Amino acid sequence: MAMTDPLGDMLTRIRNGQRAKKDSVVSPSSKLRAHVLDVLQREGYIRGYSDENIGSRSQHKGLRIELKYFEGEPAIQHVARVSKPGRRVYSGSQEIPVVRNGLGINIVSTPRGVLSDAEARENNVGGEILAEVF
């Protein structure tokens, strides 16, 4: 059966991995997922990620995501998909919502690439709000 929300699947793997105190999790690879992980790494929510072959015959590409903890607590307290396949959410550059009074971030897909909400406001571009993280 085909996966209807690959990005939501990756965010769920990260959430479940941190609840289980895992060092890393593996997710199937795609360009969008890699760009979202770039934003999470720039903002300090994950240690990093790397490409990896998954499967018994190494025919599928995957992403190994290195999770980050601070004093035993996960760096990501909350991660949620905002724009879903059944209901897309778009916002202009000045209307992008602030997460937890600026303590969290929104991940936004813009014409200039996948950016955090602060980067999108700085570049004066809006787009689809993919997820919120704090």
Side-chain angles (χ1 to χ4, degrees), residues 89-100:
V89 177
Y90 298 95
S91 182
S93 63
Q94 302 306 315
E95 291 83 33
I96 297 173
V98 177
V99 179
R100 294 278 172 132

Side-chain angles (χ1 to χ4, degrees), residues 36-49 68:
V36 168
L37 291 174
D38 284 335
V39 172
L40 289 175
Q41 186 175 4
R42 276 197 314 267
E43 297 292 328
Y45 288 104
I46 61 172
R47 284 190 299 181
Y49 70 96
K68 188 175 183 180

Side-chain angles (χ1 to χ4, degrees), residues 53-66:
N53 290 328
I54 57 175
S56 59
R57 298 185 185 181
S58 299
Q59 59 190 359
H60 300 289
K61 297 283 186 185
L63 297 168
R64 177 163 297 278
I65 305 162
E66 302 294 325

Side-chain angles (χ1 to χ4, degrees), residues 52-111:
E52 183 176 283
N53 290 328
I54 57 175
S56 59
R57 298 185 185 181
S58 299
Q59 59 190 359
H60 300 289
K61 297 283 186 185
L63 297 168
R64 177 163 297 278
I65 305 162
E66 302 294 325
L67 303 176
K68 188 175 183 180
Y69 298 91
F70 180 72
E71 295 179 357
E73 292 297 315
I76 299 174
Q77 296 294 319
H78 169 82
V79 59
R81 187 83 156 96
V82 175
S83 182
K84 300 175 182 177
R87 182 176 183 268
R88 300 291 184 186
V89 177
Y90 298 95
S91 182
S93 63
Q94 302 306 315
E95 291 83 33
I96 297 173
V98 177
V99 179
R100 294 278 172 132
N101 281 335
L103 295 178
I105 64 166
N106 276 315
I107 300 173
V108 185
S109 177
T110 70

Side-chain angles (χ1 to χ4, degrees), residues 8-62:
D9 175 66
M10 181 186 75
L11 297 175
T12 300
R13 288 174 191 239
I14 291 171
R15 183 183 318 115
N16 291 342
Q18 287 201 317
R19 285 185 181 164
K21 304 285 188 204
K22 299 282 186 184
D23 288 334
S24 64
V25 293
V26 177
S27 176
S29 182
S30 75
K31 287 182 183 179
L32 178 63
R33 291 178 189 192
H35 293 308
V36 168
L37 291 174
D38 284 335
V39 172
L40 289 175
Q41 186 175 4
R42 276 197 314 267
E43 297 292 328
Y45 288 104
I46 61 172
R47 284 190 299 181
Y49 70 96
S50 59
D51 292 326
E52 183 176 283
N53 290 328
I54 57 175
S56 59
R57 298 185 185 181
S58 299
Q59 59 190 359
H60 300 289
K61 297 283 186 185

